[in-house]
């Protein structure tokens, strides 16, 4: 694994196609920058952002830190996460979530995919 440091606010983000079936309201747009990926493709580290709107998702095993913006994540049958700068969060693999983004959020993340 390489040693590196980057300014997460300055990385070049690539637009991602959000499945329109996931959009509940508004016009949320996502983008990401992959910083590192393990040789086997199971561990992903990067930066992700989403503009205001409401969308659903099915999560992977993820650890993240919010850098900017505000959002609420409702986990089906469980928690309600209030996200703002400085918040550290963990999402469980297969969790069904509803993201309500009030202000464009940007987060750094590590995702661990199953074998």
């Amino acid at each position: 694994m390489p040693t590196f440091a980057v300014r997460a606010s300055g990385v070049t983000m690539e637009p991602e196609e959000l499945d329109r079936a996931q959009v509940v309201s508004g016009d949320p747009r996502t983008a990401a920058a992959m910083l590192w990926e393990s040789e086997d493709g199971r561990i992903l580290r990067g930066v992700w952002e989403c503009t205001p709107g409401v969308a659903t998702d099915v999560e992977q095993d993820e650890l993240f830190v919010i850098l900017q913006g505000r959002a609420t994540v409702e986990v089906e049958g469980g928690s309600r996460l209030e996200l703002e700068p400085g918040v550290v969060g963990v999402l469980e693999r297969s969790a069904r979530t509803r993201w309500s983004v009030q202000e464009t959020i940007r987060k750094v993340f590590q995702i661990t995919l199953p074998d």
Side-chain angles (χ1 to χ4, degrees), residues 9 49 66-70 84-86 103-107:
S9 62
E49 71 179 20
I66 300 297
L67 302 173
Q68 70 180 44
R70 299 203 185 295
E84 60 185 20
E103 297 172 16
T104 298
I105 59 169
R106 183 174 281 214
K107 66 180 181 177

Side-chain angles (χ1 to χ4, degrees), residues 23-67:
V23 176
V24 175
S25 66
D27 188 26
R29 302 287 176 168
T30 61
M34 193 58 59
L35 301 177
W36 181 83
E37 182 176 338
S38 63
E39 286 184 28
D40 64 3
R42 289 191 55 241
I43 301 172
L44 310 171
R45 295 177 179 155
V47 181
W48 179 85
E49 71 179 20
C50 184
T51 62
V54 180
T56 61
D57 201 7
V58 177
E59 304 299 338
Q60 293 294 334
D61 177 12
E62 179 179 350
L63 169 70
F64 64 87
V65 178
I66 300 297
L67 302 173

